[in-house]
Amino acid sequence: MSENPPTGPQYGSTPDPDRPDLGKSSQPGEGGYPPPGNTPPGNTPPGNYPPPGNYPPQGGYPPPGNYPPPGNYPPPGGYPTGGYPPASGNYPPPAGNYPPPAGNYPPGNYPPPPGNYPPPPGNYGSHGSGFGGGLPPTLDVGGAISFGWNKFKDNAGVWVGIVFIAVVIQFVINLIFGGFDTSGDFSSSFNVLGIIGTLVGAVVTYLIQAAMVRGALHEVDGTKPTIGSFFQFANVAAIIIASVLIGIMATIGFVLLIIPGIIVVFLTWWTLQFVVDRNEDAITAIKSSFRAISSNAGQLFLLALALVGINILGAIPCGLGLLVTIPITIIASTYAYRIVTSGQPVA
């Protein structure tokens, strides 16, 4: 079957100057594009490509074959040619000094984690922190006496002053209520005025002892007391009741061949410390003193003997040495109280 060749000028040939509109579409809005399907292959003039949508029908692609086999392509990018690893991995790591993720990785050249942090604070006592170093682990007799001496030496004027005030008060009470009878007649001690004087003198003695304990607690806690600091306690009734009960028990004990009285005095040694320091009532403070001293009776008994010996030596030079030995005794015993009861750290 033969085809009729198209008439008119062909694309790629010389246009007819007498017919410039040849090949243009007579439909408005259409350009001079050749109808689809009539463009000879390889003769498409430059420019004036078909508008979007009027593409030639699918097909006419080059026949399959002669393509490079799939795989083994170099990865995209400006990598140097040759020697690429397969796509399964072993690519060089990305740039950057990132730390390795957490896990059990083999050791490498990673920098060690930061450290050298200070340890958390510790060595707190059972009643909170105090002023200074921690408590010694055990009570030492020599250490307690040395502590008492050093604290007295650093604040000697105040301690000598408070002992001197106590002596003057006792002298005035004796002068008011009994005078100084050198006749050897003790019957005046059993009259009404003598009994009142004895009771007043005893109460004042109890309060002076409590004042010295208060000052010793200041020293143990790292604060130098002033004269006014010695009287910073409010539980006067508990102090008096506890002192009276101890006096009664000790008197009964001394009547029973002396040794029971010594035991009572020894086991109630810290009663005023518990009353003044922990604000305990009289009965509770006596019980607390019994328990605390019984827990370390051996070392405390040696300390008590040493302090009694020091006061005997202090009484030899007309009693003047007691101005030094009494403060040392009170401070050393309160120091021992802090250690045995695991109280606040000692300065």
Side-chain angles (χ1 to χ4, degrees):
M1 181 182 295
S2 63
E3 289 188 13
N4 293 324
T7 60
Q10 303 297 314
Y11 287 96
S13 62
T14 304
D16 189 351
D18 296 332
R19 299 179 65 184
D21 56 347
L22 182 62
K24 293 182 178 180
S25 172
S26 61
Q27 300 294 330
E30 297 182 359
Y33 302 105
N38 294 326
T39 303
N43 293 324
T44 303
N48 295 329
Y49 294 99
N54 295 325
Y55 299 108
Q58 296 180 356
Y61 296 110
N66 297 324
Y67 291 100
N72 298 324
Y73 295 105
Y79 298 107
T81 59
Y84 289 97
S88 60
N90 296 326
Y91 292 106
N97 295 321
Y98 299 101
N104 296 320
Y105 294 94
N109 295 321
Y110 300 112
N116 297 324
Y117 297 110
N123 294 327
Y124 296 108
S126 61
H127 302 284
S129 60
F131 305 90
L135 286 167
T138 57
L139 174 63
D140 178 68
V141 174
I145 296 175
S146 297
F147 182 88
W149 163 249
N150 291 328
K151 289 298 181 180
F152 167 78
K153 182 179 60 176
D154 293 340
N155 201 17
V158 172
W159 279 102
V160 171
I162 197 67
V163 174
F164 182 77
I165 291 173
V167 172
V168 171
I169 292 175
Q170 290 288 359
F171 177 84
V172 171
I173 291 174
N174 290 332
L175 184 63
I176 292 174
F177 291 97
F180 294 94
D181 189 2
T182 59
S183 63
D185 184 8
F186 296 100
S187 60
S188 60
S189 301
F190 295 97
N191 58 29
V192 175
L193 190 60
I195 294 174
I196 293 175
T198 301
L199 293 177
V200 172
V203 170
V204 171
T205 301
Y206 301 153
L207 295 179
I208 290 174
Q209 290 175 352
M212 291 187 179
V213 168
R214 177 73 274 176
L217 288 169
H218 282 303
E219 293 283 9
V220 172
D221 292 340
T223 303
K224 286 185 177 182
T226 61
I227 294 296
S229 302
F230 283 80
F231 300 96
Q232 293 176 343
F233 54 86
N235 46 354
V236 176
I239 292 170
I240 295 173
I241 294 172
S243 300
V244 169
L245 291 176
I246 292 172
I248 293 172
M249 291 188 296
T251 301
I252 295 173
F254 281 116
V255 170
L256 299 176
L257 301 176
I258 300 177
I259 294 178
I262 295 175
I263 294 174
V264 169
V265 171
F266 175 65
L267 293 178
T268 58
W269 187 10
W270 289 341
T271 299
L272 291 183
Q273 274 84 351
F274 281 101
V275 172
V276 175
D277 184 37
R278 304 193 183 186
N279 200 28
E280 294 182 354
D281 61 83
I283 302 298
T284 304
I286 291 173
K287 292 180 180 178
S288 298
S289 180
F290 264 79
R291 287 193 299 268
I293 293 179
S294 298
S295 68
N296 199 0
Q299 285 291 98
L300 290 173
F301 186 72
L302 293 177
L303 176 62
L305 290 178
L307 294 177
V308 169
I310 289 174
N311 283 283
I312 292 174
L313 294 176
I316 292 175
C318 300
L320 294 178
L322 295 176
L323 295 174
V324 176
T325 60
I326 289 176
I328 293 175
T329 298
I330 298 294
I331 297 172
S333 63
T334 305
Y335 170 88
Y337 156 80
R338 275 283 192 251
I339 294 176
V340 173
T341 59
S342 300
Q344 293 175 330
V346 180

